[in-house]
Amino acid sequence: MKTINLQKKLTSFSKHWHPHQIAVVDDMQVLLAKLKNEFVWHKHENEDELFFVQKGTLEMHFRDTIEIVKEGELIVVPKGVEHCPKTRNGEEVHVLLFEKLATNHTGNVVDEKTVSEYPKI
């Protein structure tokens, strides 16, 4: 039961697309990640994902639309919806993620960016 300083936690890592776990709430985990350029098209069959943009602008690409998520905004990607997060022009974007502990990083896809475990910081 201690406060968590998000800015301080963000300074402790630099790798893009590699979430770090900062808290667990019941069967959910709170993650911090730094994003840059394009991720992987994927979906999570059984889990929703919440992305809160702390810094920068995130483009959440869906097969039929693109949602722009600005600093201070969030988006929930419903289970079963294929998506691909991207950033603009090489910008580094900082996000807080909220998802179930059982959620696979790249959902139904295995890619070179896939991470099987998240460091706890």
Side-chain angles (χ1 to χ4, degrees):
M1 295 190 319
K2 295 186 181 218
T3 60
I4 298 170
N5 183 308
L6 301 180
Q7 292 305 321
K8 190 172 182 180
K9 295 287 186 187
L10 281 162
T11 63
S12 70
F13 66 95
S14 59
K15 192 170 184 181
H16 297 116
W17 304 109
H18 194 274
H20 287 64
Q21 187 185 88
I22 60 168
V24 173
V25 181
D26 292 327
D27 66 340
M28 306 290 288
Q29 60 186 335
V30 182
L31 305 164
L32 283 178
K34 294 179 178 180
L35 317 179
K36 189 172 183 179
N37 299 319
E38 184 172 344
F39 194 48
V40 178
W41 278 100
H42 67 287
K43 62 183 174 180
H44 305 278
E45 293 294 343
N46 301 306
E47 301 93 13
D48 299 332
E49 284 185 295
L50 182 147
F51 292 77
F52 173 75
V53 176
Q54 290 185 275
K55 175 186 167 195
T57 301
L58 177 67
E59 292 183 0
M60 187 61 73
H61 289 244
F62 300 102
R63 289 299 182 183
D64 60 348
T65 189
I66 300 170
E67 289 293 322
I68 305 301
V69 190
K70 297 177 184 172
E71 196 168 303
E73 297 179 336
L74 65 84
I75 187 168
V76 174
V77 178
K79 61 182 110 261
V81 175
E82 194 173 22
H83 59 287
C84 181
K86 297 181 183 180
T87 69
R88 296 175 166 178
N89 304 318
E91 176 186 28
E92 182 176 84
V93 175
H94 297 174
V95 296
L96 181 125
L97 302 157
F98 193 66
E99 63 187 27
K100 288 185 180 178
L101 285 164
T103 304
N104 290 329
H105 185 225
T106 52
N108 63 331
V109 173
V110 176
D111 182 85
E112 64 184 26
K113 293 181 181 174
T114 302
V115 176
S116 59
E117 290 186 27
Y118 302 133
K120 294 173 176 55
I121 59 172

